[in-house]
Amino acid sequence: YGNGVSSVIAREKDSRTMEILITSTRPSSLILGKVAASGAAAVIMFGALVLAGLAGFQLNKATYPPMVLGMFSSSLTPGFIWTYVFFSLFGFILYLFLFAALGSTVSKMEDLSSATALVQFLFIAAYLLATLSAQMPDSTLAVIGSVIPFTSVMVMPLRGAMTTVPWGQLILSGLLMLLTVAFFAFLSIKIYRWGSLNYGNKTKLSRIVREALRRA
């Protein structure tokens, strides 16, 4: 879904459709609309899978060993479910905005894969950190990973399933997630506006961010 968002934006810029859209619609509406559409599609699809899984579990519940049923009842607590839903949803939205911002920095479709490679590395790093945290959920590395928004999307739900996470860490991580989502939503809108006025040669990401924020 992230690649879909960045591809749509890059294709609009490659075909210069962006120039037409930007004259009649605000950049915020264009970016938020694309992210909302992808987010809603993903939530509907994931929700359908969850409902199918729950229905299958209920239909075959009598055939499961007592040990498996006990494992489910002990791990699927309301606290874990809310933690999983919150960090998975907002972490997903954060990555959508990252893809949207990076998709706005390219002028040609062939440059998109290199531009979005940074997000792929972040996601892989989060996955590796979650794998390590599964072995030591209370370690310093796991705690730090569960607080940083780019990695907490995977690490915090995993810690919530394996150990009791202090409320202070949950609140801090949740606030940082919300603030980071808001910042990258703002940044992606500014980069989209910058991208509508800049075509041609590649520009360093750091310079794009500076120029986009300078126009804010």
Side-chain angles (χ1 to χ4, degrees):
Y1 287 97
N3 282 319
V5 171
S6 59
S7 297
V8 168
I9 295 175
R11 192 175 294 111
E12 288 176 354
K13 194 172 181 182
D14 191 12
S15 63
R16 294 190 175 269
T17 307
M18 180 186 287
E19 296 178 358
I20 301 174
L21 294 173
I22 206 73
T23 59
S24 58
T25 310
R26 293 180 300 177
S28 58
S29 298
L30 293 170
I31 288 294
L32 295 178
K34 290 176 173 62
V35 170
S38 293
V43 169
I44 291 172
M45 180 176 290
F46 182 72
L49 291 174
V50 171
L51 290 176
L54 289 175
F57 177 77
Q58 291 297 329
L59 289 173
N60 299 280
K61 191 174 182 179
T63 63
Y64 285 101
M67 182 180 66
V68 175
L69 295 175
M71 183 178 64
F72 274 113
S73 61
S74 62
S75 59
L76 295 179
T77 61
F80 165 73
I81 293 173
W82 282 111
T83 300
Y84 177 82
V85 170
F86 177 86
F87 285 96
S88 297
L89 177 62
F90 285 99
F92 174 63
I93 294 173
L94 172 61
Y95 274 93
L96 286 182
F97 278 122
L98 282 173
F99 274 106
L102 293 173
S104 303
T105 63
V106 301
S107 298
K108 299 178 181 179
M109 284 295 297
E110 52 264 30
D111 297 331
L112 183 61
S113 58
S114 60
T116 57
L118 175 61
V119 187
Q120 307 288 353
F121 287 134
L122 282 174
F123 199 76
I124 292 172
Y127 175 79
L128 293 176
L129 187 56
T131 303
L132 294 174
S133 300
Q135 303 174 13
M136 298 177 292
D138 292 320
S139 64
T140 302
L141 183 63
V143 172
I144 294 174
S146 65
V147 172
I148 299 174
F150 301 108
T151 55
S152 64
V153 58
M154 290 189 182
V155 180
M156 184 59 84
L158 187 143
R159 289 190 65 213
M162 301 189 65
T163 186
T164 301
V165 182
W167 276 105
Q169 294 179 15
L170 279 171
I171 294 173
L172 175 61
S173 182
L175 288 175
L176 286 176
M177 176 66 79
L178 293 176
L179 289 173
T180 306
V181 169
F183 172 74
F184 276 96
F186 170 80
L187 182 62
S188 63
I189 292 169
K190 297 305 175 183
I191 292 178
Y192 185 87
R193 179 178 296 171
W194 174 91
S196 66
L197 303 173
N198 293 270
Y199 289 81
N201 296 328
K202 293 182 180 180
T203 307
K204 289 184 178 180
L205 182 60
S206 58
R207 181 184 174 186
I208 293 173
V209 172
R210 288 197 303 270
E211 292 187 1
L213 291 177
R214 192 184 308 154
R215 297 172 183 267

